[in-house]
Amino acid sequence: MFDKRVTVFMGHYGSGKTFTAVNYALALAKLGKPVSIYDLDIVNPYFRTVDALETLNKNGVELVVSPFAETNVDIPAMNAKSYKMVDDKSRFAVADIGGDDRGALALGRFADKIKEENDYDALFVVNPFRPETRDVEGAIQVKEEIERAGKLAFTGIVNNANLGLETNIEDVLKGLEFAEKLSKVTGLPIKFSAVRRDLISEKTEIIKEILPIDPIKYGDWL
Amino acid sequence: MAEKVLMKGNEALAEAAIMAGCKYYFGYPITPQTEVAAYMAKRMPKIGGTFLQAESEVAAINMVLGVAACGKRVMTSSSSPGISLKSEGISYLAGCELPALIVNVQRGGPGLGGIQPSQSDYFQALKGGGHGDYKLIVLAPASIQEMVDLTFKGFDLADKYRMPAMILADGTMGQMMEPVSLELGEVKEYAKPWATTGKATHEGRNIINSLSLSPAQLEEWNINRYERYKIVERDEVMYEEFMMDDAETCVVAFGITSRVAKNAIMEARKRGMKVGMIRPITLWPFPKDALKKAASKVKNFLTVELNMGQMVDDVKLAIDCSKPVYFYGRTGGVIMTPDEVLNKLNEIEKGEAKQW
């Protein structure tokens, strides 16, 4: 974790990329690194990185997001500043890409420069409690579709097994097992497990790398 | 219990429809319900069903009518402006006595409005939308599990009473994710001797039509349909009561706002205020009797809605205006916080609130 200048999070729709990317960026900032998070989501109308804007600002993380995110403007737009992700090599860059191959299309235009610089991780965020990635075959299909659309091959896997607020530690460990199977078939290493902070205990000690997750607060009605 | 999966409301609803035996989906993309169409596009070919993105909402609803006439379970989904376009077809479905499921993942209106959540199509769903003497069964989910359960139920009720049913959700219900169980039980099959399935399957000619050449016959059809509506009103009302035992103020809220209201009520209870809630799950049939019963015990009613007060009159009618009815709402895509509802409850308790 944290060893590459550019970290791109991609995965199946609803796999938890935004939660993971936001918490990863915050963790980088806590290590004192200059970091920007690039919201390249051209799919979701609601539940975006902007929900975490206050927390990100407070912790010195720069958010680059379409000015139309969470407004009534229904346009799959990106912020022009997104090019900083590849052009400004003085800062760490975390990219939150929209779900599936449809979302990964947005990454395509940056892929060549990312590969040229060759200081990146492209991480496949997987939640086996999402029906379409509940088995290895399903996950591999999604993986290949994303790689084709995003023009970037994955370099690692993130275990993000969760059932929202109902997640327990057994779910996380089941996810780890799943990620290990996926790792064996694809040859990709497991980079880390994203685990809600309150679930981290002696039971999670068997997980090598953990990124603690503080959920983004959307509203009191959740 | 079956293992749970994490799903987005729109996806969960689409999967539930497939599990209810729906093999035909016709739609047209519109935020915030597009995931329903996207999910169906992926899943339908795998189960030997049909997904078709029509050239418009008007076309889609008429394709629904065609499949419904053949006696098959069929669905369309849209968001507010798209439902306006489908309204003519919905009226025709009702006139033809056809079962189908229509999904409205509401957004802000009127007109093009916005893409953020709302409940401002209450009137459209409950008071017509289309023309003529007809009703829709209207189901209002307040969780992703209910998006699943009520979709399953919606198909069943539509078949049982040979009428269109509607899921009246909102953008948040469509977009948010929660764990759900997809163990839904057996699909009940209903005989459809009226379906246009060819002479090999039935005697004589089956004609599906909403046109009557005789006014007297059209009147008779309408009267007969309303007789059936009475049975629905008697047998199919669904609602949830929350902390109503000793309540002095009864909040009435459905869908997403009932979740905000629940949080406000729990906070009010901590402060010693006696507040409860009746949450209509079926908006038609409306839980009139439950409200009337509550009116004999409580002092006030407060409806909480994401619109300008469209449900207030229905609450007033249900309780014969016997108690004051107050209203708190946000509109245009804004969701209220529990604190805002709590403030309104405080105003009511202090006698400072104005009646709607």
Side-chain angles (χ1 to χ4, degrees), chain B residues 20-323:
Chain B
C22 171
K23 282 189 148 184
Y24 305 90
Y25 172 90
F26 305 97
Y28 189 83
I30 180 169
T31 307
Q33 68 78 50
T34 300
E35 293 82 8
V36 180
Y39 194 87
M40 289 301 199
K42 256 191 177 175
R43 285 280 282 132
M44 279 301 186
K46 289 182 188 162
I47 60 157
T50 296
F51 162 85
L52 199 150
Q53 180 173 322
E55 68 270 35
S56 71
E57 285 87 349
V58 179
I61 192 72
N62 284 292
M63 292 171 186
V64 167
L65 191 143
V67 171
C70 299
K72 301 292 184 191
R73 284 192 167 179
V74 57
M75 182 173 103
T76 187
S77 61
S78 193
S79 180
S80 310
I83 299 294
S84 292
L85 286 165
K86 288 182 202 284
S87 291
E88 181 199 46
I90 294 171
S91 166
Y92 276 61
L93 280 164
C96 293
E97 319 265 343
L98 289 174
L101 192 70
I102 299 126
V103 178
N104 184 359
V105 183
Q106 297 169 92
R107 59 188 248 180
L112 202 49
I115 59 170
Q116 300 296 327
S118 96
Q119 298 177 324
S120 49
D121 304 341
Y122 181 93
F123 280 157
Q124 185 193 49
L126 275 298
K127 314 288 175 188
H131 58 280
D133 287 312
Y134 79 93
K135 294 278 186 191
L136 294 174
I137 291 169
V138 181
L139 304 158
S143 66
I144 308 307
Q145 188 63 55
E146 277 192 352
M147 288 287 265
V148 168
D149 297 343
L150 295 181
T151 297
F152 199 76
K153 179 95 183 166
F155 276 106
D156 183 79
L157 291 174
D159 270 359
K160 188 172 174 187
Y161 295 102
R162 217 183 138 180
M163 62 184 289
M166 178 179 274
I167 302 288
L168 192 65
D170 69 89
T172 346
M173 281 298 129
Q175 294 294 325
M176 66 186 269
M177 296 178 79
E178 277 180 340
V180 291
S181 157
L182 289 167
E183 200 155 89
L184 294 173
E186 290 290 301
V187 175
K188 192 168 173 201
E189 302 274 351
Y190 292 86
K192 295 180 178 174
W194 45 264
T196 53
T197 46
K199 283 205 169 178
T201 59
H202 52 77
E203 296 274 317
R205 298 170 78 184
N206 278 357
I207 297 170
I208 304 284
N209 191 12
S210 63
L211 168 71
S212 170
L213 297 181
S214 141
Q217 189 189 45
L218 181 54
E219 183 188 46
E220 193 188 320
W221 288 351
N222 286 340
I223 290 171
N224 288 344
R225 190 177 318 115
Y226 271 71
E227 287 301 318
R228 204 161 358 119
Y229 291 165
K230 278 187 203 160
I231 302 171
V232 180
E233 287 194 300
R234 187 192 67 200
D235 293 348
E236 306 296 351
V237 176
M238 289 164 69
Y239 61 94
E240 179 198 354
E241 283 197 2
F242 179 69
M243 295 189 156
M244 279 300 292
D245 284 347
D246 60 344
E248 290 175 358
T249 298
C250 172
V251 174
V252 188
F254 65 93
I256 182 66
T257 50
S258 69
R259 294 171 72 127
V260 180
K262 242 183 207 178
N263 286 311
I265 290 166
M266 288 193 286
E267 193 52 44
R269 286 272 171 183
K270 277 187 213 157
R271 299 176 189 194
M273 295 159 74
K274 292 183 172 171
V275 189
M277 177 166 66
I278 292 179
R279 171 173 77 92
I281 298 171
T282 50
L283 289 170
W284 191 84
F286 198 65
K288 288 183 207 166
D289 293 341
L291 288 166
K292 201 167 183 170
K293 210 179 101 200
S296 66
K297 296 193 298 183
V298 306
K299 292 179 186 163
N300 304 295
F301 286 84
L302 168 67
T303 83
V304 180
E305 306 172 60
L306 291 187
N307 58 46
M308 292 301 288
Q310 298 186 18
M311 189 171 58
V312 174
D313 287 346
D314 283 341
V315 174
K316 284 186 176 180
L317 283 171
I319 63 166
D320 293 328
C321 296
S322 58
K323 293 287 159 69

Side-chain angles (χ1 to χ4, degrees), chain A residues 69-142:
Chain A
E70 293 194 3
T71 68
N72 277 334
V73 184
D74 199 3
I75 292 174
M78 285 192 283
N79 192 318
K81 283 189 191 157
S82 301
Y83 281 101
K84 269 177 54 186
M85 177 171 82
V86 284
D87 291 340
D88 183 358
K89 296 190 172 63
S90 68
R91 297 177 71 81
F92 279 75
V94 176
D96 178 23
I97 313 291
D100 291 342
D101 47 347
R102 290 185 291 265
L105 272 180
L107 183 69
R109 64 165 71 180
F110 306 102
D112 282 345
K113 283 198 162 182
I114 291 174
K115 280 186 269 194
E116 195 187 296
E117 184 191 355
N118 198 22
D119 188 8
Y120 71 95
D121 259 326
L123 301 181
F124 185 34
V125 181
V126 189
N127 179 3
F129 294 101
R130 293 281 293 142
E132 279 181 58
T133 52
R134 74 204 307 181
D135 52 40
V136 171
E137 296 82 63
I140 287 176
Q141 196 190 332
V142 170

